[in-house]
Amino acid sequence: MPRTGSKTVRSTSGHAPITTRGDIVIRNFRMLAGWDVVVAATATAVTATIGATAGGPVNPQPTAPQAHPTTGQGPKTQTEPRSAERRRIASSVLGKDVKYTLTALRSRTDPLAASVRLQVFTFDNGTWRETDRALVGEADSWFWFPLTGRHAVCAFSTSSTQPAPLAVSMLVTPSVGCSPTANFRVDSGRIVPA
């Protein structure tokens, strides 16, 4: 007799009824040899798993780069450097002819590290042309996720005077806060540390 909160469902295959309670399903296992078979099989599987992880032979190392085929690109080996992921995090256009951008560049060696690149563009003959670029701080000295998250730019101050003062402060981490301000001068399209 099912307890309160459970229900009995008739099986359509002619087997014994299934009693359900919550998400537990109990079926009449009389057609098996008994619970001993289930317990023995489970104990054997646990013993085999423990034996394999506790002291079996070490996994062999690959002797050659392993290929991972990708659609339409042919095989690509694990030893190839991955392309650097980049994300524009700030941009400032002054007038119609000067643009400054800050771009986060993810490290190729450490997925959590990043660099910040400052670029200067001038508008010439209908297109933006890069005139100079510089790193803000050292290469791979920033954290990727704070740089590409909300509130990553603490200060990005630009000016259209000559030479143009430029100040940049980025979020180090939410708990640390903003970095000290890095100051630059842009003179005739060239970046000069201040």
Side-chain angles (χ1 to χ4, degrees), residues 13-28:
S13 61
H15 295 294
I18 299 171
T19 302
T20 63
R21 183 166 188 251
D23 50 348
I24 300 172
V25 177
I26 303 170
R27 181 180 275 265
N28 189 346

Side-chain angles (χ1 to χ4, degrees), residues 16 29 36 64 75 79 82 92 101 104 107 113 119 129 133 152 155 167 184 194:
F29 285 105
D36 295 345
T79 57
R82 60 188 177 95
S92 174
T101 63
S107 172
Q119 291 174 282
R129 298 191 192 283
R133 66 171 62 181
F184 300 92

Side-chain angles (χ1 to χ4, degrees), residues 103-119:
T103 306
L105 306 167
R106 196 170 205 168
S107 172
R108 292 176 186 233
T109 56
D110 182 359
L112 300 178
S115 301
V116 176
R117 180 172 48 199
L118 168 66
Q119 291 174 282

